[in-house]
Amino acid sequence: MISKILIANRGEIALRVLRACKELGIATVAVHSTADADAMHVRLADESVCIGPPPSRESYLNIHQIVAACEITGADAVHPGYGFLSENAKFADILDAHGITFIGPTADHIRIMGDKITAKKTAEALGIPVVPGSDGEVKPENAIEVARKIGFPVLIKATAGGGGRGMKVAKTEADLEEAVSTARAEALAAFGNDAVYMEKYLGKPRHIEVQVVGDGEGNAIHLGERDCSLQRRHQKVWEEANSPALNVEQRMAIGKVCADAMKKLKYRGAGTIEFLYENGEFYFIEMNTRLQVEHPITEAITGIDLVHEQIRVASGGGLSVTQEDITFQGHAIECRINAEDPRTFVPSPGTITHFHAPGGLGVRVDSGAYQGYRIPPYYDSLIGKLIVHGRTRVECMMRLRRVLDEFVIDGIKTTLPLFQDLISNQDIANGDYDIHWLENYLANTSA
Ligand code: ADP
């Protein structure tokens, strides 16, 4: 049994995890940098430990300090949230060596999914459909041959990739040499590893991802999909569950493929299998072995608390539900509220002078922000998430419109006005968008 959880994160996700711990009667330890001493997760935790100065490398990414905080407070488990150390296999190994439970998958599963080529090969072996592409790494000398076999346009991707870096499109043979060499140079600079591989480039896909949870013993379930096609620079902005593009049969079919794969893998914990979806076909791109930012929309339509499930399986208590228990109720949308200029997306840290969160049926606000809170300039600009649920997509959209009018965050710039624009757009109303839609929209409205 787990009796005290150290939350190795900050911001809204630290608060989110803390809420689950409290509901389960588990004691909590917050860790924080000197810049976050006033943060809400620190105020609400049972105990807190300052683990270093503002830069993440010296605080939230500092494994020694976090392990020391566990030892000092007697925490017997760590929840890593998302980002920071959540997909760090070495961290999971170190906790294990100290007899501390890592609330997440095994270090081996983190490693497998952290390397893109290994992840893709593993997915394929588990029966998950993948993007057609090279069989492993591609060297410059055989790039032409591989690309001809796949068919143009092709995408060159870094094996160690992340955040869209080390990724280049070659539309024709003439572009190939340069695409390969720039992708390799970018990959080397960003990840210290210039290995690249090649995939068919899909022109107008949607980003659809499937939520899974496994108990590590061979039982696993899926909780349907999320559509995260509305992105800016590969960052998700607005997410929906269910996807406006899928019907029930497609949902249950891809969900079953993912759940079956996780059973075979004996996967433990929450995970997300990400796909590009085009012309009725799914193509695996990666698996995230952690809780995702957009998990609340899945919680809204299934009624299942994913952090409760993560803690249950980490403590050997198994899943609280079977696949047959899960039903999908209505529709949910999440808007990511960033402290950024809504047009230029330049970060806007500073003091929140007035804060009023909306309420009412079907409304959830996950945020550590409050009136008088000073947003530090050192971290990600996500300051909160607005999650709205309705019985139908139309009801959900009408509720979102009402809720956006109520939400007040003064003193800093936020991306709230962007959502007020999107909610009035006909393509959005129709659910008719792909992964390029938002970039095109922003380019065409920025005059
Ligand atoms: P990263 O880990 O760097 O974010 P991903 O493999 O998750 O890389 O891909 C990031 C994004 O790049 C996807 O969400 C999609 O927008 C685009 N992308 C990736 N693979 C392809 C592909 N084969 N065809 C078209 N776009 C792609």
Side-chain angles (χ1 to χ4, degrees), residues 17 36-37 46 56 62 99 114 147 155 159 205 251 307 347 385 437-438:
V17 172
D36 277 338
D46 297 316
S56 303
N62 187 331
L155 187 63
T159 311
R251 167 166 315 116
V307 181
K385 307 182 308 204
W437 189 94
L438 185 60

Side-chain angles (χ1 to χ4, degrees), residues 116 131 155 157 161-165 167 197 199-203 205 207 231 234 274 276 285-286 435:
K116 299 226 159 194
V131 192
L155 187 63
K157 296 171 92 169
R165 282 171 302 175
M167 215 184 273
Y197 64 107
E199 272 179 2
K200 179 154 194 62
Y201 178 74
L202 304 169
H207 173 115
Q231 302 181 1
H234 301 304
E274 297 194 336
L276 294 178
I285 44 171
E286 68 172 341
I435 59 168

Side-chain angles (χ1 to χ4, degrees), residues 22-351:
K22 291 207 170 194
E23 288 177 10
L24 295 172
I26 298 172
T28 50
V29 180
V31 292
H32 64 90
S33 71
T34 50
D36 277 338
D38 281 339
M40 191 55 90
H41 76 279
V42 177
R43 295 182 179 201
L44 291 182
D46 297 316
E47 292 170 77
S48 66
V49 181
C50 180
I51 51 167
S56 303
R57 264 176 299 105
E58 295 170 49
S59 49
Y60 298 103
L61 290 171
N62 187 331
I63 294 178
H64 294 294
Q65 288 289 71
I66 291 170
V67 173
C70 289
E71 300 284 348
I72 291 165
T73 56
D76 51 1
V78 170
H79 195 301
Y82 52 69
F84 293 129
L85 296 168
S86 60
E87 290 176 295
N88 185 317
K90 193 174 114 198
F91 181 54
D93 277 336
I94 291 173
L95 290 180
D96 197 41
H98 284 77
I100 301 163
T101 302
F102 175 72
I103 301 175
T106 62
D108 280 347
H109 286 163
I110 299 175
R111 270 190 200 99
I112 288 171
M113 295 304 171
D115 176 88
K116 299 226 159 194
I117 291 179
T118 315
K120 205 171 162 188
K121 284 188 172 158
T122 306
E124 203 168 9
L126 291 169
I128 297 173
V130 302
V131 192
S134 61
D135 183 23
E137 191 183 339
V138 173
K139 296 281 186 197
E141 52 276 18
N142 48 27
I144 279 273
E145 187 193 331
V146 177
R148 281 183 187 151
K149 218 183 266 171
I150 297 169
F152 286 90
V154 294
L155 187 63
I156 324 297
K157 296 171 92 169
T159 311
R165 282 171 302 175
M167 215 184 273
K168 290 281 167 257
V169 184
K171 289 201 176 111
T172 64
E173 277 195 33
D175 307 329
L176 190 65
E177 197 179 324
E178 195 186 333
V180 172
S181 67
T182 43
R184 281 166 59 95
E186 253 185 57
L188 185 65
F191 313 110
N193 174 355
D194 68 358
V196 295
Y197 64 107
M198 204 183 287
E199 272 179 2
K200 179 154 194 62
Y201 178 74
L202 304 169
K204 287 180 155 291
R206 297 180 80 109
H207 173 115
I208 297 182
E209 58 186 35
V210 177
Q211 177 70 55
V212 290
V213 193
D215 68 357
E217 309 280 331
N219 298 308
I221 54 170
H222 75 85
L223 292 103
E225 85 286 6
R226 296 183 286 260
D227 195 317
C228 314
S229 303
L230 291 173
Q231 302 181 1
R232 179 181 169 272
R233 298 200 176 157
H234 301 304
Q235 300 290 318
K236 297 163 188 168
V237 170
W238 155 307
E239 301 103 343
E240 307 195 32
N242 305 305
S243 168
L246 297 192
N247 61 34
V248 180
E249 288 72 37
Q250 289 170 305
R251 167 166 315 116
M252 296 315 278
I254 191 65
K256 184 172 184 326
V257 166
C258 293
D260 287 350
M262 293 304 106
K263 287 178 190 169
K264 277 186 231 160
L265 196 62
K266 288 200 163 60
Y267 185 76
R268 183 186 71 210
T272 298
I273 304 178
E274 297 194 336
F275 295 94
L276 294 178
Y277 172 82
E278 193 174 67
N279 300 327
E281 301 286 338
F282 287 93
Y283 303 99
F284 171 87
I285 44 171
E286 68 172 341
M287 176 167 180
N288 291 323
T289 51
R290 56 169 167 83
L291 192 68
Q292 305 227 158
V293 175
E294 59 274 23
H295 76 277
I297 52 175
T298 298
E299 297 184 325
I301 63 163
T302 61
I304 292 169
D305 186 307
L306 284 163
V307 181
H308 284 194
E309 295 303 313
Q310 287 186 299
I311 295 171
R312 277 183 69 107
V313 298
S315 54
L319 296 163
S320 75
V321 282
T322 63
Q323 192 69 57
E324 291 67 44
D325 297 330
I326 295 163
T327 55
F328 301 99
Q329 307 287 343
H331 194 89
I333 295 174
E334 174 181 276
C335 300
R336 294 194 188 196
I337 303 163
N338 289 347
E340 287 172 359
D341 183 295
R343 295 305 323 174
T344 61
F345 300 95
V346 171
S348 172
T351 302

